[in-house]
């Protein structure tokens, strides 16, 4: 059975909701969870529930000061911090993936430091599964990288394609480049060069895609630098919040609305929830030598369970191995040129 | 009374809906509208309605081939095309603003060519009024400029501040820089340099703002390059579409929901409508020597009326004159350094 190392100390609601998330995961998924962190607090939480032999505790007795100015140095100086110990379990093969609701930059730094990058990938990136209708679209990079080069965007596109093919099961995923217009020649110099490079990449590149078409199901992978990708993701969340707020206000204007609202709000919340990666699952850190899922800092037990599911999906479909050979093959091809 | 020159030939539904929009505008706003374009088709439309002495027709007998590869050259070669004639009416003082639902690039080119830039503004930009709760926030640049320099972003911020102060009536508007994190030091080199420049600009700069906080009312002006700004705008539209579609689907799952839908959908549509600048009004082209409002290509009569209202609001609050003196003053200040 797959084992996932769960950083029990990461996140606003750690360790309580993290421990509960682990329990929800093992009861609904085929997985074992290794809770990594301070022994005492984890066991105090676990003792509130019946014992479960798919849950284990791995002690990690150091903590990271998130207020530290040089977070990267702090991560390297604290090998026994929970996030580093969790990564170590993946590196040694004791676990097949890591889930953490800790600070994104801290998780990324720990992954680079402990697992390293896959050969041929200059910049690991964050990929998010977004919904459309009944389908899914993969947005990469959702915020890890700024000041990208065209070759980085091609690598993001390739990582996204491997993800959609192996984990979601889409054959020959269609790749679109996030831009401010559909036509060839739109966008910055970076985007124009990336367009050219994607056209020659061997990927199924279908051209530019505008922000309003991300959720339309016309592409399977949306590639962007971390600034545009993050903007697309976050602006969508902002609009969803705004709509929910307007609807809530409208439901208060008449007693009948309130009654109907009770029936309908769960449906609306479900539609909106699919837009939030923190509820729907988590962010996939792609390009490092292991499965890493970053859950939102605010994650509750359900969000943690969903993040574990993402890690299980990735580990169970040999994502990292496929990614490694895909990039190794392209290195060979490039060397043969 | 203010006079607005309306390009009767621009937009997917021209001239029918454009003419109807003019009639709706003069019946609900204190404005005269000059319909600019081919005499025959405009008059054929006008003849369907009772005569209205606040509507006049200005003949422009040339047309622009939108399929033309070099659109900028085409605009310059066709001084008698409707959009150029409309701009000319503003330049000569016969009208106080232009509204067009034509191709954005064509309208921008015509505005640069006919009206010119205001002194001290290197790059005119597109500003959009977005809603939050009962308030409004101004997003600039929403797509006109890529490959910006920090000084361009400062100019956008200043134009946006003048707009919110003069047209919307917000004293000392708060300016936020769209970025992939709140903290100082986030983002690309461009954004880091823009942050520094905005801090020293004399504007009320409050720091970085993430996409999910655009609609929260914590800033009055959101400044971005055209790629991030366009992404924020369009991704929001895409999410709004997605939500409307999910809700429509959900309303079909139970007979009782159909009743709810009747009550509920207008509210939802209103909330979504406020998010769409093409329905809510139009895009303000700022930085040229006259009031220019670009309505969406799909505009119907209501959208045209709302775009005319935006132009009236801008012209009626001396937006261009204020912008001119604000930038002239800063030029003097810069020269005095």
């Amino acid at each position: 059975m797959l084992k996932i190392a769960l950083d029990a100390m990461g996140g606003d609601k750690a360790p309580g909701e993290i421990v509960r998330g682990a329990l929800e995961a093992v009861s609904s998924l085929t997985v074992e969870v290794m809770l990594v962190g301070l022994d005492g607090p984890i066991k105090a939480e676990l003792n509130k529930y019946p014992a479960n032999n798919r849950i284990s505790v791995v002690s990690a007795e150091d903590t990271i000061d998130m207020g530290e100015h040089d977070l990267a140095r702090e991560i390297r100086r604290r090998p026994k911090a929970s996030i580093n110990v969790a990564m170590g379990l993946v590196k040694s093969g004791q676990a097949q993936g890591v889930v953490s609701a800790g600070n994104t930059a801290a998780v990324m730094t720990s992954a680079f430091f402990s697992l390293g990058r896959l050969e041929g990938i200059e910049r690991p990136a964050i990929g998010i599964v977004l919904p459309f209708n009944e389908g899914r679209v993969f947005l990469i990079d959702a915020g890890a990288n700024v000041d990208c080069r065209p070759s980085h965007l091609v690598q993001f596109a390739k990582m996204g394609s491997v993800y959609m093919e192996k984990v979601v099961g889409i054959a020959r995923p269609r790749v679109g480049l996030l831009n401010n217009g559909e036509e060839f020649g739109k966008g910055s110099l970076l985007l124009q060069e990336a367009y050219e490079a994607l056209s020659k990449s061997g990927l199924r590149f279908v051209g530019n895609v505008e922000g309003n078409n991300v959720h339309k199901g016309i592409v399977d992978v949306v590639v962007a630098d971390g600034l545009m990708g993050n903007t697309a993701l976050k602006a969508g969340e902002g609009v969803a919040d705004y709509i929910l707020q307007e609807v809530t206000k409208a439901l208060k204007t008449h007693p009948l609305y309130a009654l109907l609202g009770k029936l309908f709000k769960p449906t609306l919340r479900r539609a909106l929830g699919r837009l939030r990666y923190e509820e729907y699952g988590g962010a996939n850190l792609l390009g490092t030598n292991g499965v890493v899922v970053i859950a939102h800092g605010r994650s509750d037990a359900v969000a943690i369970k969903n993040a574990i599911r993402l890690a299980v999906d990735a580990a169970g479909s040999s994502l990292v191995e496929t990614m490694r050979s895909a990039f190794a093959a392209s290195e060979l091809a490039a060397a043969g040129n």
Side-chain angles (χ1 to χ4, degrees), chain A:
Chain A
M1 193 180 298
L2 290 172
K3 291 194 183 72
I4 301 300
L6 177 61
D7 176 5
M9 312 317 290
D12 302 345
K13 296 166 186 168
E17 288 294 304
I18 313 295
V19 169
R20 271 189 56 213
L23 288 160
E24 294 207 7
V26 298
S27 77
S28 62
L29 307 168
T30 310
V31 67
E32 292 180 23
V33 175
M34 305 165 92
L35 285 161
V36 183
L38 299 172
D39 237 27
I42 295 178
K43 287 185 175 153
E45 289 295 330
L46 274 176
N47 285 338
K48 296 178 184 170
Y49 311 95
N52 189 310
N53 60 13
R54 288 218 229 146
I55 302 265
S56 57
V57 178
V58 175
S59 178
E61 293 298 329
D62 209 349
T63 52
I64 288 174
D65 175 9
M66 287 299 166
E68 181 67 37
H69 179 68
D70 190 345
L71 196 56
R73 194 190 56 177
E74 181 78 359
I75 299 278
R76 280 188 289 266
R77 279 178 54 200
R78 306 272 180 208
K80 291 190 176 158
S82 59
I83 185 64
N84 286 330
V85 172
M87 294 288 173
L89 292 170
V90 170
K91 192 174 171 71
S92 66
Q94 293 167 270
Q96 284 72 53
V98 170
V99 171
S100 175
N103 173 291
T104 299
V107 178
M108 287 179 59
T109 305
S110 175
F112 298 166
F113 173 55
S114 307
L115 303 174
R117 285 182 283 128
L118 288 173
E119 189 124 6
I121 297 178
E122 293 166 281
R123 300 262 199 111
I126 290 177
I128 309 269
V129 177
L130 293 171
F132 68 89
N133 207 327
E134 297 307 319
R136 281 176 278 179
V137 57
F138 198 71
L139 173 69
I140 182 169
D141 174 35
N145 299 285
V146 298
D147 292 317
C148 295
R149 291 201 304 270
S151 62
H152 300 146
L153 294 189
V154 173
Q155 290 166 25
F156 300 165
K158 187 162 175 175
M159 290 194 275
S161 297
V162 171
Y163 188 96
M164 287 305 278
E165 187 145 5
K166 291 301 287 186
V167 181
V168 180
I170 308 282
R172 295 274 300 147
R174 297 157 300 170
V175 174
L177 177 64
L178 190 60
N179 208 331
N180 68 334
E182 302 282 344
E183 315 88 51
F184 170 79
K186 289 298 271 187
S188 56
L189 286 176
L190 166 68
L191 289 176
Q192 292 176 34
E193 289 176 25
Y195 189 105
E196 294 282 349
L198 284 164
S199 303
K200 296 175 193 153
S201 65
L203 298 169
R204 190 172 165 195
F205 179 57
V206 297
N208 292 322
V209 57
E210 291 186 84
N212 53 336
N213 285 328
V214 167
H215 297 273
K216 294 287 196 298
I218 57 179
V219 292
D220 304 301
V221 176
V222 173
V223 61
D225 69 15
L227 284 175
M228 283 178 70
N230 190 262
T231 300
L233 182 73
K234 296 279 184 67
E237 287 183 19
V239 163
D241 286 344
Y242 163 77
I243 292 173
L244 186 62
Q245 173 196 313
E246 290 295 299
V247 165
T248 305
K249 218 162 57 184
L251 290 175
K252 286 180 185 152
T253 57
H254 192 285
L256 180 62
Y257 289 5
L259 175 67
L260 292 167
K262 276 209 184 86
L263 292 168
F264 194 65
K265 254 186 134 178
T267 305
L268 188 63
R269 282 201 181 273
R270 205 156 41 238
L272 299 182
R274 291 188 69 209
L275 287 166
R276 293 167 194 275
Y277 73 93
E278 63 262 42
E279 290 175 23
Y280 195 52
N284 301 277
L285 177 62
L286 299 183
T288 61
N289 210 347
V291 168
V292 179
V293 171
I294 307 172
H296 198 280
R298 288 193 304 263
S299 292
D300 59 9
V302 173
I304 292 295
K305 181 198 71 182
N306 288 333
I308 292 172
R309 184 200 312 261
L310 264 191
V312 168
D313 289 349
S317 50
S318 309
L319 176 66
V320 174
E321 295 70 20
T322 311
M323 200 90 77
R324 187 183 293 117
S325 17
F327 278 87
S330 70
E331 290 292 290
L332 283 175
N337 270 345

